[in-house]
Amino acid sequence: MPSSRSCPCFVFGYVAGRSRPSKELKAPLIERQLGRIGRFLLKTGWTPGECFVAVTTYRRRAFVDHPTFHKAVADARGNGVPLIVGDLGDLLSRVPAEQFSKSVNRILALDIDLLDASTGKLSREMDKRAWRTIRDAAFVRAQARQAIATGQKSGKKPTRDVTLGQAKGAEANKLRARRLAESIRPIVAEMKAELPHDQDLSPSAVMHHLNALGIKGPNAGTWSRVSVSRYLRILSEPDAQG
């Protein structure tokens, strides 16, 4: 139900260096969070309060450790309302791996609720399955970013041999496809485990689930039934199961 009192919101992002606040608000991650919060407020009729924007150049810092997050929590506590975040799964996917469990525990220990604008759920109302879904989505996003970073760091200059270059290009495409397939394996396995033994997992169900989680498909697009079928085939190949 819409809140009769204003609810503060919190957005967080990393920046390459010091910049003006106006530029920070235009950072893709910040814009995406603000967009989701705005759409949630428009859809539900919740009243917007103060927006706390936190940025940092230190990529080993989790958002729960930022002073601005503490201020936002205090504001929500003082007004007896939830603190709205754009996408809890996206925020957690940017937490350093060794700090992930601690960050989740700190969220659960808060004396206020975080309201996830992307799902409309309150943090303390989420069951184990909901947290598992967030964890899996965060893991997939983190793995995808790591794969991109690794590819950028290990890039080589194109060879002059066209045939060799094409072969390497094909191999690189195959490797990217394999990485994407492996990144969704935990989610596919969990969906299969929840099905009756006599029922097969449908590509359409996987497609809707991946898109609902906000997980990017091939070429950073949405998943289609055809693309899901292709990546399920990749996961079923013998060399993908070892």
Side-chain angles (χ1 to χ4, degrees):
M1 295 178 62
S3 174
S4 58
R5 288 184 288 177
S6 61
C7 295
C9 64
F10 171 79
V11 296
F12 175 82
Y14 297 101
V15 293
R18 292 183 179 180
S19 59
R20 296 179 181 178
S22 58
K23 290 185 178 180
E24 292 170 354
L25 289 174
K26 293 181 179 179
L29 177 59
I30 297 294
E31 281 192 324
R32 186 162 64 248
Q33 293 174 61
L34 289 173
R36 286 172 177 165
I37 291 172
R39 288 190 293 274
F40 171 81
L41 294 173
L42 185 64
K43 180 180 178 180
T44 62
W46 283 63
T47 306
E50 182 175 354
C51 185
F52 293 84
V53 180
V55 295
T56 180
T57 59
Y58 183 46
R59 293 186 176 271
R60 307 306 299 171
R61 168 180 258 177
F63 71 95
V64 293
D65 294 325
H66 200 286
T68 302
F69 179 73
H70 301 160
K71 292 179 182 178
V73 169
D75 184 88
R77 181 190 303 116
N79 288 285
V81 294
L83 175 62
I84 304 174
V85 296
D87 187 328
L88 188 55
D90 198 17
L91 287 174
L92 283 171
S93 74
R94 297 168 195 281
V95 171
E98 69 276 8
Q99 300 181 43
F100 187 86
S101 295
K102 183 185 76 171
S103 297
V104 171
N105 290 335
R106 289 186 63 179
I107 291 171
L108 294 175
L110 291 173
D111 54 359
I112 65 158
D113 262 315
L114 294 187
L115 193 155
D116 186 352
S118 68
T119 63
K121 294 181 179 179
L122 295 168
S123 56
R124 284 186 288 183
E125 292 179 351
M126 294 181 185
D127 57 18
K128 290 183 178 179
R129 182 175 179 180
W131 278 109
R132 188 167 64 246
T133 298
I134 288 177
R135 180 203 64 198
D136 289 344
F139 173 78
V140 169
R141 290 170 179 172
Q143 288 289 95
R145 280 196 299 275
Q146 182 61 39
I148 293 172
T150 301
Q152 291 174 339
K153 291 178 181 178
S154 61
K156 297 180 180 179
K157 293 182 179 180
T159 175
R160 292 183 180 181
D161 188 322
V162 176
T163 302
L164 181 59
Q166 290 175 338
K168 287 186 175 183
E171 186 62 29
N173 289 337
K174 184 177 179 179
L175 179 59
R176 281 194 293 270
R178 175 75 65 203
R179 285 174 175 168
L180 180 55
E182 289 298 333
S183 73
I184 66 171
R185 183 187 290 279
I187 297 175
V188 172
E190 184 175 323
M191 293 181 70
K192 285 183 177 179
E194 294 176 353
L195 288 174
H197 293 297
D198 59 346
Q199 184 175 341
D200 294 327
L201 182 62
S202 78
S204 294
V206 178
M207 174 192 73
H208 290 303
H209 191 52
L210 293 177
N211 287 333
L213 290 175
I215 297 170
K216 297 297 184 183
N219 302 316
T222 56
W223 289 91
S224 66
R225 190 180 185 284
V226 172
S227 61
V228 167
S229 297
R230 176 194 173 199
Y231 282 85
L232 290 179
R233 283 197 300 273
I234 293 175
L235 287 178
S236 68
E237 293 171 356
D239 59 342
Q241 299 175 3

